[in-house]
Amino acid sequence: SMVTNANGFEYSQQFAFSTMLQRCSVLFMYLTTYLQVPRARSYLCLNMLMNGVSVLLCIVAAQSASPSTSQTFLSLTAIFEVSRPFLAILIFRQLRFELIPLNIDHSTERMGCLTMVILGESIVSALFDYRRR
């Protein structure tokens, strides 16, 4: 959202499209895991559903004609993405699904890698924007 505000409307649509593509690739990864790990199917169904909602929000943001509509749907996507873990916990508790044991070391490493990628992309984007001006 910060990058889309800095670079203008045309970049926010590109951002929404790339986020949609990223979420679609995650959906395909979840699908292969769904087929191979029966114990994780209830968890993956919920995550695939939530990824589908994110994809739909990004499609609307990318296809919108007005900057305010695009920014609104990108903001809704961001809010939804942040609230996903909490929604998943609530849904799993309500439906009494079997939970999968969490690998703390693996999760910490993945979040660290994600943080480095996001930080790197933000810095590169800011530098390119600075050079254009």
Side-chain angles (χ1 to χ4, degrees):
S1 180
M2 184 170 51
V3 173
T4 61
N5 280 333
N7 291 327
F9 176 59
E10 65 275 2
Y11 294 109
S12 67
Q13 289 180 314
Q14 292 171 359
F15 177 80
F17 183 72
S18 63
T19 303
M20 181 209 45
L21 288 178
Q22 184 265 344
R23 285 290 167 209
C24 286
S25 67
V26 170
L27 273 171
F28 285 117
M29 288 189 292
Y30 281 157
L31 183 61
T32 58
T33 306
Y34 179 89
L35 296 172
Q36 296 174 357
V37 185
R39 183 176 176 199
R41 287 186 177 157
S42 59
Y43 172 79
L44 291 169
C45 280
L46 180 61
N47 273 305
M48 287 189 293
L49 176 68
M50 289 184 172
N51 265 349
V53 170
S54 290
V55 167
L56 289 176
L57 289 170
C58 286
I59 288 171
V60 173
Q63 295 298 317
S64 65
S66 76
S68 61
T69 305
S70 179
Q71 205 62 35
T72 300
F73 277 95
L74 283 175
S75 299
L76 286 173
T77 304
I79 291 168
F80 181 72
E81 289 291 327
V82 168
S83 65
R84 277 180 64 173
F86 305 108
L87 289 171
I89 290 170
L90 289 173
I91 292 170
F92 272 107
R93 284 189 179 168
Q94 289 295 321
L95 300 177
R96 295 183 177 28
F97 282 140
E98 178 184 356
L99 296 177
I100 302 167
L102 181 65
N103 185 339
I104 299 295
D105 293 333
H106 178 69
S107 297
T108 304
E109 182 180 337
R110 287 184 65 180
M111 287 304 292
C113 289
L114 179 64
T115 302
M116 286 189 301
V117 167
I118 290 172
L119 181 61
E121 291 291 330
S122 297
I123 289 171
V124 168
S125 176
L127 287 174
F128 282 141
D129 190 46
Y130 176 76
R131 288 186 88 192
R132 274 188 265 152
R133 292 179 188 198

